[in-house]
Amino acid sequence: MSTAMPFDADATFLAHVTAVVEAAGLVLRDRHTPHARGVSLDEVVAEIHANDDAVLDALREPLLRARPGSQWAEDELAGGALPAGEWWVVDPAEGNINHVHGLEDWAVTATLVRDNQPVLTVVHLPLTGDTYTAVAGGGARLNGRPLKVSAKTDLGAALIGTGQAKPGEDERTFRRIGDSVTAMLVNGLVVRVSVPATMQLIHVAAGRMDAFWQFSDVRSGLVAGALLVSEAGGTVTDLTGEPWSTGSRDFLAAAPGIHGAALKVLAPLA
């Protein structure tokens, strides 16, 4: 993806979006427990929906008011290109499955997408208070401090990640995930397989991890991290090496020094 054209957002707009997302994060934090909630599948799904419903109430109207003319992408598990214009792609509980199981890897995300490219994002981690932000052409930051991707150039020294985009994907996708993990275990140093995508992509943007790939076009799990990594100096493409957009089938975000090597390993599996 390219951020050659800066996004026309001033600091006040970013600050407002950040305040909205952080306020929504308080709602989600108050719903968190250190133990799992729900035993049956129906109970787990009900807890997930309850989280979404509670947090969406704190996000939707304030974000739509903040950007007149913007639209709302309703289905957080949807993929593929959006119609032209500006769209809010929001995940009220990114890592919801972790939240309802008492784990800590979850966040609230809001990303403004213009013509299928993310142009502004806020990712807030309520348990730590950390907030990641990025604006197209304006860089990526953690709590206001600039982020920079890893300087590694050797895939054999790289910490790399992937994960399942959503429940119930087809068997072919699951087999591709397994084959790609094996290939990266052979070619990389360590492979981390976890969910959600955003919680790995913030580490790529911060230089703590070196690459992340996914066989998926689920927008809400990729748009925030794509912009953060790109604005932190990383390379974000699909698995053919073309610039990534919300219309892409798959995804690779990596430090520039290892992107080509990672792509060489993964492209045959795409």
Side-chain angles (χ1 to χ4, degrees):
M1 63 180 286
S2 170
T3 56
M5 294 295 292
F7 176 57
D8 57 339
D10 59 22
T12 302
F13 179 61
L14 177 60
H16 178 71
V17 175
T18 299
V20 170
V21 174
E22 289 179 347
L26 295 177
V27 177
L28 192 59
R29 188 186 69 185
D30 289 345
R31 296 182 59 82
H32 185 251
T33 65
H35 58 268
R37 309 195 307 278
V39 175
S40 70
L41 177 59
D42 286 346
E43 290 169 343
V44 171
V45 170
E47 291 286 351
I48 287 172
H49 287 165
N51 280 347
D52 282 342
D53 292 344
V55 181
L56 277 172
D57 286 344
L59 288 170
R60 181 173 180 135
E61 292 307 319
L63 291 177
L64 287 171
R65 285 198 305 267
R67 193 71 178 175
S70 62
Q71 301 178 75
W72 193 265
E74 293 288 350
D75 184 355
E76 69 187 61
L77 293 179
L82 289 160
E86 292 188 344
W87 292 80
W88 288 107
V89 177
V90 171
D91 198 323
E94 168 72 330
N96 210 341
I97 192 68
N98 294 334
H99 186 285
V100 304
H101 282 86
L103 301 174
E104 298 181 355
D105 284 347
W106 46 271
V108 179
T109 76
T111 305
L112 188 65
V113 174
R114 173 191 282 175
D115 297 333
N116 287 298
Q117 291 287 352
V119 293
L120 179 146
T121 194
V122 176
V123 176
H124 178 58
L125 283 57
L127 290 183
T128 65
D130 287 332
T131 301
Y132 293 77
T133 61
V135 176
R141 291 174 171 76
L142 166 58
N143 302 329
R145 300 189 304 274
L147 293 174
K148 186 172 179 59
V149 296
S150 164
K152 286 183 184 174
T153 58
D154 178 8
L155 185 61
L159 172 57
I160 318 153
T162 191
Q164 180 181 350
K166 61 182 178 180
E169 293 185 89
D170 62 89
E171 183 177 347
R172 180 173 178 270
T173 297
F174 291 147
R175 292 191 181 279
R176 290 164 75 198
I177 293 171
D179 290 345
S180 67
V181 169
T182 299
M184 278 300 194
L185 286 168
V186 171
N187 289 277
L189 179 63
V190 171
V191 178
R192 182 183 185 198
V193 182
S194 65
V195 294
T198 302
M199 298 301 286
Q200 295 196 66
L201 285 164
I202 59 175
H203 295 314
V204 177
R208 306 183 200 106
M209 290 177 61
D210 305 298
F212 174 85
W213 82 94
Q214 195 170 83
F215 297 106
S216 168
D217 63 352
V218 174
R219 291 186 297 260
S220 65
L222 299 175
V223 287
L227 185 59
L228 283 162
V229 172
S230 180
E231 287 298 323
T235 304
V236 183
T237 68
D238 64 16
L239 293 181
T240 71
E242 292 299 313
W244 181 84
S245 76
T246 58
S248 301
R249 301 188 305 180
D250 39 42
F251 180 90
L252 173 63
I258 67 160
H259 179 272
L263 189 64
K264 185 176 180 180
V265 172
L266 294 168
L269 300 170

